[in-house]
Amino acid sequence: MTDDVKDAPNRVDGVLKVTGKAKYIAEWKFPNLAYGYLILSTIAKGKIRSIDTSEAEKQAGVIKILTHLNTQKFPKADTDKSHRPLHNDQILFSGQAVGVAVAETFEQARYAASLVKVEYEVETPNTDIRKLLDKAIPSRPRPDRGKPEEAFQNSEVKIEAEYSIPIEHHNAMELHASVANWEGNKLVIYDKTQGVNGVRGFLAGIFGIPATDINVLAPFVGGGFGASLRPSPNTYLTPLAAREVKRAVKIVYSRRQVFTAHGYRPYSIQRIKMSAEKNGKLTAILHETFNNSSSNEDYTEGMTGVTRSVYACPNVKTESKFVRTDMQTPLAMRAPGAVSGMFALESALDELSYKLKIDPLELRLINYAEVDPESGKPFSSKELKKCYAEAAKRFGWSKRKPEPRSMQEGNWLVGYGMATGTWGAGQAQASARITLKSDGTALIESSVTDIGPGTYTAISIIASKNLGLPIEKVKVVLGDSNLPAGPTEGGSTATASVGTAVQEGSQVVLKKIFDLAKFGDYKFEDIKVESGKFVAKDGKSISFVEILQKNNLDKFGEVYTATPNNGERSKYAIASHGAQFVEVKVDEELGIIRVTRVVELTAAGKIVSPKTAHSQELGGVVWGIGMALTEETQVDHRYGRIMNPNFAGYYVPVNADVLQVDTGFVEEIDTVINPLGVKGLGELGMVGVPAAIANAVYHATGKRMRNLPITPDKILS
């Protein structure tokens, strides 16, 4: 463990989580609580012909069986193409919610749901993207850079390849759930969400009530990863059921139901042409992508953005297309677009390196982008070269023998692979209330959720530093729509956004409370803040507690809103960067692949909370291992049905799959991105990992794996 981690503050919510005192959504209750259980469609396309609920309604404890036939319908704008359960008799995908059984207990509701008989008019579903490519619809057109087709044809060295990634599901530890209660026309709902304000607006629009009459709470979220960026069916069905039965209602998904409760990483096909001069200088990249969408919404994964921005190439052509299928709409899944696009791009670059007989790291340095290749703007900060150098040194890349199948330990073929990672560095408008209290503590409040990355801790550290208080004297309250508005937590923007509001707002509160102090002739600008006191250069001091007591105040606070300086930011290209180096060992006789070592160095601005930041990078590596080697949602295209909606058939990495992982940071001084100087890093930790693993497998075996996941059968074949 490095010193930056050992000396850093622990998670402020760590004890609550490991002792079970942190309450997740399904643990909340209201008086007189009833339980709902979803009834799911068994076909992927068609109409409901009839629903027989008579047997279910006879069962003990059953309160009501809700279907599209007996629930209130709410107006829906023509422009709203999203699926709304129980809205009509249409079936758009297998596993669609077609009813809710509401009963006194969870067990009674589940049993009643199993007795509901649904008959359908069945249509043949189309879920196989490969059979529908001729119907692909172009999206997000981007002008060509240079003359890519001509440059490719005239180049000395070139490769063409196709890569594919299957559907993948988020599978966070916490299942999706909602607990809703109406108090007259006012609604209180606990919901697994990454953005309480988004849910509040969604429900206000549906039920036609003021947003101020809805309170959405998500104090602790057990993993989001994009699955909770938009409201799930339970978000709507739970308050709907509560309204129908005039009681509080809780709906919690089963693991199987989660596979159709929300979106997923779509199936993608990527075709890349890449060419270079013999010295390694890229001359052209042509990148065409396809991903599946649903029949009712147009979703494009956006895999080509990295192609246009990572390497200095004068001629680039990108095309993004989507294919309508009879499945639910995909959704952002950790590092959406970037990790998929980089799998193809970094694999293709690795293929080119062998054809050129140039070291893969050297090839990346030859094509290093000193400025943004797309806009020509300078980067606000970019320490990717330092990431390459330090990670390569830690890993021992210089010991790599360049020929495939040239390194072996007993029965194990050994392979080294590497890749580049990149992610954005966003900041959204955010508000926070900063309050100093007469007991010597501070209270920080914002509606932003903490979905697990350590937002409570990062905000506590920022408040502690800026208010001059020990971290144990700072309390942070998040995940409540009645608090000052924070952004949806996604895309690694929460710390930059809310953290900036806390940093700047702290100075506003300190200045105002200093003015109340009447502290001699001292000026605020000349005062230090430490240990809950204003301290002058001559050593004289006055505490916040004294000031509040003198002014007969129990507390003093202010709501502060921070807005990104888009004018300054627009002059620069802004991104986080990283380098991943991977060692694999492959037993060809058994088809076993082990990721034995990973070294990852990240440049993501200032690292506010080293412990949680390292945890995020480690988590990203684990995600990358899963994407590369195990994860695949399998669909039986005859029925449009997901066949492995469980942990018995959908394999996520476990402890035995994750061996030595070394993560670290190259800190950057960036005064442009935000006053804190922080960038996004949660997604960045996985962006290059699947490609690095695939590249390492090629180095070990001489077999190029272009279709994920790399399972034993592919090694054996």
Side-chain angles (χ1 to χ4, degrees):
M1 184 181 290
T2 57
D3 288 339
D4 64 328
V5 176
K6 284 191 294 187
D7 299 335
N10 293 324
R11 278 183 175 265
V12 298
D13 54 350
V15 172
L16 292 175
K17 288 184 172 180
V18 300
T19 58
K21 293 179 180 177
K23 292 177 71 171
Y24 291 87
I25 300 305
E27 298 177 276
W28 291 94
K29 294 182 178 180
F30 291 103
N32 198 29
L33 182 66
Y35 295 81
Y37 196 85
L38 298 186
I39 303 159
L40 304 183
S41 71
T42 57
I43 69 166
K45 186 177 183 181
K47 289 184 178 181
I48 299 171
R49 182 184 297 157
S50 65
I51 299 181
D52 182 358
T53 62
S54 57
E55 187 64 25
E57 289 169 336
K58 296 176 186 176
Q59 303 307 309
V62 173
I63 301 168
K64 189 170 185 177
I65 309 295
L66 305 178
T67 72
H68 73 285
L69 298 172
N70 65 353
T71 55
Q72 183 179 352
K73 305 297 183 297
F74 297 96
K76 189 176 178 184
D78 293 338
T79 54
D80 182 6
K81 303 299 182 183
S82 65
H83 166 64
R84 187 178 296 177
L86 311 194
H87 190 67
N88 54 36
D89 61 358
Q90 297 290 317
I91 301 298
L92 302 180
F93 55 89
S94 181
Q96 172 184 321
V98 297
V100 182
V102 184
E104 297 291 344
T105 70
F106 170 79
E107 291 79 9
Q108 290 170 334
R110 182 175 60 182
Y111 180 60
S114 73
L115 298 177
V116 174
K117 298 180 178 68
V118 185
E119 292 188 0
Y120 302 96
E121 293 178 14
V122 183
E123 298 178 43
T124 302
N126 292 304
T127 55
D128 189 344
I129 181 176
R130 289 193 175 273
K131 292 183 178 179
L132 301 168
L133 290 181
D134 60 334
K135 298 180 180 178
I137 301 168
S139 176
R140 302 180 184 177
R142 301 284 292 274
D144 293 352
R145 190 159 79 220
K147 298 180 178 179
E149 299 277 7
E150 182 181 323
F152 179 79
Q153 293 301 325
N154 296 333
S155 293
E156 300 172 89
V157 183
K158 59 186 78 169
I159 62 114
E160 293 186 47
E162 180 178 293
Y163 307 87
S164 69
I165 300 169
I167 288 173
E168 298 168 355
H169 273 80
H170 308 72
N171 277 312
M173 289 179 68
E174 183 192 19
L175 298 166
H176 277 61
S178 300
V179 190
N181 186 46
W182 290 90
E183 299 169 356
N185 288 324
K186 294 188 176 183
L187 172 64
V188 179
I189 178 170
Y190 289 88
D191 186 60
K192 181 177 179 180
T193 177
Q194 293 175 236
V196 293
N197 295 312
V199 169
R200 176 188 249 184
F202 168 76
L203 294 174
I206 286 178
F207 292 109
I209 60 177
T212 51
D213 286 348
I214 302 173
N215 187 201
V216 183
L217 300 120
F220 290 98
V221 176
F225 313 114
S228 302
L229 282 174
R230 66 187 287 181
S232 300
N234 55 286
T235 308
Y236 163 64
L237 291 174
T238 309
L240 177 68
R243 188 161 167 155
E244 292 284 340
V245 303
K246 296 179 174 54
R247 286 176 61 176
V249 171
K250 176 189 292 188
I251 293 178
V252 183
Y253 282 76
S254 68
R255 179 61 59 183
R256 176 179 289 271
Q257 290 174 335
V258 163
F259 277 75
T260 53
H262 52 74
Y264 49 88
R265 196 187 309 280
Y267 192 108
S268 63
I269 298 167
Q270 302 182 68
R271 296 168 179 168
I272 285 191
K273 297 179 181 179
M274 186 180 288
S275 61
E277 300 171 1
K278 288 183 178 179
N279 64 5
K281 277 283 187 185
L282 290 171
T283 55
I285 306 174
L286 295 91
H287 190 178
E288 182 182 29
T289 70
F290 303 84
N291 69 261
N292 78 289
S293 186
S294 63
S295 61
N296 55 300
E297 292 184 278
D298 300 341
Y299 179 89
T300 304
E301 180 72 350
M303 293 170 275
T304 61
V306 290
T307 306
R308 306 183 74 95
S309 63
V310 176
Y311 297 112
C313 180
N315 304 288
V316 176
K317 180 183 183 69
T318 59
E319 296 179 278
S320 301
K321 301 174 182 178
F322 66 89
V323 176
R324 293 196 176 111
T325 61
D326 296 311
M327 295 190 69
Q328 68 270 38
T329 306
L331 189 62
M333 182 169 169
R334 196 169 208 189
V339 68
S340 303
M342 286 299 264
F343 168 65
L345 181 68
E346 292 294 275
S347 296
L349 199 63
D350 197 68
E351 296 196 39
L352 190 65
S353 75
Y354 283 94
K355 203 162 188 178
L356 289 163
K357 293 183 169 55
I358 295 176
D359 180 272
L361 174 56
E362 179 62 25
L363 183 59
R364 284 161 176 79
L365 291 170
I366 289 169
N367 294 284
Y368 190 85
E370 297 290 353
V371 298
D372 177 32
E374 186 75 355
S375 66
K377 295 177 181 178
F379 289 97
S380 62
S381 57
K382 184 180 181 182
E383 296 292 352
L384 178 56
K385 280 185 178 178
K386 286 187 180 179
C387 291
Y388 284 144
E390 178 63 25
K393 182 180 177 181
R394 288 194 195 185
F395 183 81
W397 183 257
S398 61
K399 298 175 184 176
R400 172 184 178 272
K401 296 179 181 178
E403 300 81 13
R405 304 183 67 86
S406 62
M407 300 170 67
Q408 192 164 353
E409 292 179 9
N411 292 332
W412 297 95
L413 295 171
V414 180
Y416 287 2
M418 61 86 58
T420 305
T422 186
W423 189 252
Q427 181 189 351
Q429 180 173 300
S431 300
R433 181 183 292 113
I434 301 98
T435 305
L436 294 173
K437 303 175 77 173
S438 59
D439 62 0
T441 64
L443 176 64
I444 311 297
E445 299 169 293
S446 177
S447 70
V448 69
T449 56
D450 184 341
I451 61 174
T455 307
Y456 277 107
T457 304
I459 299 305
S460 296
I461 291 170
I462 293 166
S464 171
K465 179 181 177 182
N466 285 277
L467 293 172
L469 288 170
I471 196 166
E472 59 270 17
K473 295 281 190 180
V474 176
K475 181 180 180 182
V476 176
V477 179
L478 306 174
D480 182 338
S481 64
N482 284 343
L483 297 178
T488 294
E489 182 157 282
S492 292
T493 60
T495 300
S497 306
V498 181
T500 296
V502 171
Q503 176 169 281
E504 294 183 343
S506 293
Q507 295 306 306
V508 171
V509 170
L510 289 173
K511 175 65 168 66
K512 290 188 175 182
I513 200 170
F514 179 81
D515 291 342
L516 292 175
K518 311 297 183 188
F519 187 33
D521 295 327
Y522 301 110
K523 294 182 179 179
F524 180 71
E525 296 76 16
D526 299 328
I527 293 290
K528 285 198 299 185
V529 181
E530 55 188 36
S531 301
K533 299 177 181 179
F534 293 114
V535 182
K537 290 180 180 179
D538 59 10
K540 290 184 179 179
S541 65
I542 185 170
S543 70
F544 306 157
V545 172
E546 289 178 71
I547 298 169
L548 291 173
Q549 289 175 346
K550 285 182 179 179
N551 287 273
N552 296 316
L553 295 172
D554 291 330
K555 59 186 179 180
F556 183 89
E558 183 103 358
V559 174
Y560 183 86
T561 301
T563 304
N565 185 350
N566 291 324
E568 183 67 13
R569 287 168 62 96
S570 66
K571 300 173 186 176
Y572 295 88
I574 295 174
S576 303
H577 299 90
Q580 296 85 27
F581 290 78
V582 170
E583 176 189 82
V584 301
K585 294 181 180 178
V586 182
D587 186 323
E588 277 193 307
E589 292 184 358
L590 299 176
I592 296 172
I593 305 170
R594 304 203 77 193
V595 178
T596 45
R597 285 194 301 129
V598 179
V599 175
E600 176 172 63
L601 264 289
T602 295
K606 181 175 177 58
I607 306 304
V608 170
S609 176
K611 284 187 178 177
T612 56
H614 277 281
S615 179
Q616 282 293 289
E617 295 306 279
L618 175 59
V621 171
V622 175
W623 272 79
I625 292 171
M627 187 173 183
L629 301 183
T630 66
E631 295 191 49
E632 179 179 12
T633 301
Q634 298 170 342
V635 179
D636 186 330
H637 296 302
R638 295 172 300 171
Y639 309 107
R641 184 180 304 159
I642 293 172
M643 301 306 294
N644 60 332
N646 48 63
F647 285 151
Y650 186 96
Y651 306 117
V652 297
V654 295
N655 286 357
D657 301 309
V658 183
L659 300 177
Q660 184 179 334
V661 180
D662 178 9
T663 65
F665 298 96
V666 176
E667 282 215 2
E668 300 170 311
I669 306 301
D670 196 322
T671 59
V672 173
I673 49 172
N674 51 65
L676 286 167
V678 302
K679 295 181 179 179
L681 59 85
E683 289 83 358
L684 180 60
M686 79 171 292
V687 169
V689 175
I693 292 172
N695 295 340
V697 169
Y698 176 77
H699 182 237
T701 65
K703 298 177 182 179
R704 181 62 67 178
M705 299 294 169
R706 300 188 182 97
N707 306 307
L708 297 182
I710 309 169
T711 44
D713 58 300
K714 294 174 184 174
I715 296 294
L716 293 171
S717 65

